[in-house]
Amino acid sequence: MKTFEELGVCESIRKAIDELGFVHPMPVQEAVIPYLLANENDVIALAQTGTGKTAAFGIPLLERIDTSRRETQALVLSPTRELCLQIADDLRDFAKYMDGVHVEAVYGGAAIEPQMRALKKGVEIIVATPGRLVDLMHRGYARLEQVTNIVLDEADEMLNMGFSDSINEIFESLSDDHHTLMFSATMSKEVERVAKKYLKDYKEIVVGSRNEGAESVNHIYYMVNAKDKYLALKRIVDFYPRIFAIIFCRTKVETQEVADKLIKDGYNAESLHGDLSQQQRDLTMQKFRNHLTQLLVATDVAARGLDVDDLTHVINFGLPDDIESYTHRSGRTGRAGKKGTSISIVHSREKFKIRNIEKIIGKEFVKAEIPSAEEICKKQLYKVMDQIVKTDVDDEEIAPFMQDINRYFEYIDKEELIKKIVSLEFGKFLAYYAEAPEIEAVVPDRKEKKPQSDKQKLQNKAQKGYRRLFINLGKRDGFYPGELMQTLNRFVGGRQEVGHIDLLDSISYFEVPEKDAKKVMIQLTGIRHKGKTVRCNDADEGGKAPEGKKSSKQRRPKKDNWRELMNKSPRDLKGSEPDFSEEGWAMRKPRKKKK
């Protein structure tokens, strides 16, 4: 095993990282650091979260800084403010004994004036979220003409979050002779596209296998009925008495609901999502890092940048729609050479997702049975006994009270005293599980359903009492169920009930109760989503082939009502025509007869 000195790291940085406890370089550091120190071409490094990526790019970045120049020479882009702050703190720690290196974090959700003042004084390294950096560029405070090195950390997640336009603008402001370092957990099509567009003669460094899950993580799933998910979560948490975990939920509403239920039931839990203020989020994350909180219930975006080395479990309260998100979730645990466990609580209809993830990460999930009440009580009992046996006793401190203690317990024998102590700590589990509601076994399908093709999704029908709606947003727009729920909550108001959802690349279908369908269509039509005007139609009456593409099954309006239709606007014709986009409408205008 090599040392940092053998990798070529300078003495001042070695002194700083030695104080931080860096004894031997991790695999990604051993692969990336010497290459970057010896070469100046572009690099793509694929490595899981928690493998030491910040030091892998941060140390060479610091070594390339010319401290005689008080201008921005290096730029690090990250998807979230939490990760942005963490990278900046790490770089400052690495540069502790380097004179003349100033690192500044700029990110949204905080006052912009202090960031403007810091950049005006001059900084050698900027660590930024794309949106805030573009804002500072427009104001003239972030000048990137002298940047020679740019790092995209967690590039796949930045692209998933819709930062493509901001990243394009940032790259356009750089000089032609800059070098690009791209770090990502997965090599998605979007990452490959950005690499081909902006990287020149790049080298790909892979630590492990492309798109694999962390090798130190075990993958387990429990299959339950939808109504029993929370009961299953409680049993799983109780079955692991020393659990220290992040529980991932799909939406902000679900996150808060699960956290509130856990807190009400006596668990040490807190929520983390986008509706919290930055101050609340910082406080929550700090408490979790310091182990003052045992269970953190979070959305995917909120938990980005939360690096905790000794996380024992990640619990998926339902699987995400894209495999990259699962990779990031499971990568939160199993860090720094330790073992971790990724647990998924899934419905029978999500079983195909398990199979898809297995194919990509190259590891099998273990199907487990929900722990019984007896198994849980045994685990909790052993925990209590272990705590009692391992409790340190300070004889000097307790000596003044021993006479009163002995007198108080004089007539209670040893066995009875032990029973009382154990019952005091263990009683709540016995009381709960004595009358705990049963979790019904999932009735297996006769034949496991395969994931539907896009053609099959187009042909689906709404369930009884629901209306199937079409919306011109899909996976390419970053429009997944969580985003749909947030959009409905924001523009329709209240907690909108939603049935089955079918996601395609550029469009989506979703079901709402019949009584709500008209309201949902009115409220969503015309809003803007990431620069795109939204259309929401009744799918069964004419939203089947969007974006102006004619389907072989579409019929042209009858001749006898064509003039009447032409006198109406696209908005007036909802439910009469399959496509109401301007492009689709133009395709249906009759050609003028030649004179």
Side-chain angles (χ1 to χ4, degrees), residues 516-549:
D516 299 333
K518 186 176 180 180
K519 176 181 69 173
V520 171
M521 287 188 283
I522 291 172
Q523 294 298 328
L524 294 189
T525 298
I527 67 170
R528 302 282 290 179
H529 181 276
K530 297 181 180 177
K532 186 174 182 178
T533 301
V534 174
R535 288 185 295 115
C536 184
N537 303 333
D538 189 317
D540 295 328
E541 295 183 10
K544 200 165 185 178
E547 300 182 359
K549 295 181 181 178

Side-chain angles (χ1 to χ4, degrees), residues 111-379:
I112 198 170
E113 289 78 10
Q115 297 174 8
M116 291 163 56
R117 288 194 293 270
L119 296 184
K120 189 175 182 179
K121 292 179 182 178
V123 295
E124 284 73 25
I125 301 177
I126 295 177
V127 185
T129 53
R132 176 52 63 92
L133 180 62
V134 169
D135 191 356
L136 289 165
M137 287 164 55
H138 291 167
R139 295 170 185 248
Y141 286 91
R143 304 186 64 86
L144 309 181
E145 297 85 356
Q146 302 303 317
V147 169
T148 53
N149 292 281
I150 177 172
V151 178
L152 275 69
D153 189 25
E154 304 210 354
D156 50 348
E157 189 63 20
M158 271 193 285
L159 296 170
N160 287 340
M161 292 172 66
F163 286 127
S164 298
D165 292 340
S166 297
I167 292 172
N168 290 340
E169 186 171 348
I170 291 166
F171 269 98
E172 288 169 4
S173 67
L174 301 176
S175 63
D176 293 334
D177 60 346
H178 70 271
H179 303 292
T180 305
L181 315 176
M182 187 180 289
F183 283 75
S184 179
T186 59
M187 192 62 165
S188 63
K189 291 180 180 178
E190 290 79 6
V191 173
E192 287 183 340
R193 178 174 52 79
V194 171
K196 290 176 181 177
K197 185 175 182 179
Y198 291 116
L199 274 67
K200 307 179 291 289
D201 187 29
Y202 65 86
K203 177 178 176 62
E204 185 177 310
I205 299 175
V206 181
V207 180
S209 302
R210 270 168 154 249
N211 295 337
E212 70 171 4
E215 286 300 319
S216 56
V217 178
N218 299 316
H219 302 268
I220 299 173
Y221 75 95
Y222 295 88
M223 189 168 291
V224 297
N225 294 307
K227 65 182 181 66
D228 293 326
K229 285 178 68 174
Y230 178 71
L231 293 175
L233 173 65
K234 284 183 62 175
R235 291 202 176 208
I236 292 166
V237 169
D238 290 343
F239 188 66
Y240 298 99
R242 302 186 187 280
I243 191 172
F244 178 53
I246 299 178
I247 301 168
F248 282 102
C249 297
R250 295 164 68 98
T251 66
K252 292 182 281 189
V253 172
E254 184 180 63
T255 298
Q256 192 61 56
E257 285 180 350
V258 172
D260 289 345
K261 286 181 179 179
L262 288 171
I263 293 168
K264 183 180 178 181
D265 288 340
Y267 294 89
N268 181 6
E270 288 202 39
S271 63
L272 184 68
H273 53 74
D275 282 349
L276 301 177
S277 68
Q278 185 59 42
Q279 186 177 5
Q280 288 174 313
R281 291 169 69 175
D282 291 342
L283 179 60
T284 298
M285 294 175 81
Q286 191 61 40
K287 288 170 67 177
F288 187 64
R289 286 193 182 100
N290 293 336
H291 288 238
L292 299 177
T293 301
Q294 185 180 15
L295 302 172
L296 184 67
V297 189
T299 56
D300 287 285
V301 173
R304 300 300 295 164
L306 180 59
D307 288 330
V308 183
D309 290 337
D310 45 0
L311 205 66
T312 62
H313 293 77
V314 162
I315 299 178
N316 301 288
F317 195 72
L319 288 170
D321 289 294
D322 55 309
I323 294 170
E324 286 85 356
S325 291
Y326 179 83
T327 304
H328 282 294
R329 287 182 178 187
S330 61
R332 301 287 105 194
T333 185
R335 294 171 175 241
K338 297 179 181 178
K339 286 288 184 181
T341 301
S342 176
I343 292 175
S344 299
I345 304 173
V346 301
H347 187 271
S348 57
R349 287 181 296 183
E350 294 182 300
K351 193 172 182 180
F352 73 90
K353 291 184 181 180
I354 295 287
R355 303 294 171 245
N356 290 342
I357 294 171
E358 286 178 333
K359 291 176 184 176
I360 299 298
I361 68 174
K363 295 189 73 175
E364 287 189 9
F365 280 67
V366 175
K367 183 180 180 181
E369 298 297 326
I370 297 294
S372 66
E374 184 180 355
E375 291 172 326
I376 292 169
C377 289
K378 281 183 179 179
K379 278 283 195 89

Side-chain angles (χ1 to χ4, degrees), residues 7-10 32-39 59-61 63-64:
L7 298 186
V9 179
C10 68
V32 173
I33 290 175
Y35 183 84
L36 292 180
L37 292 178
N39 302 276
I59 290 173
L61 209 64
E63 296 242 14
R64 292 179 180 180

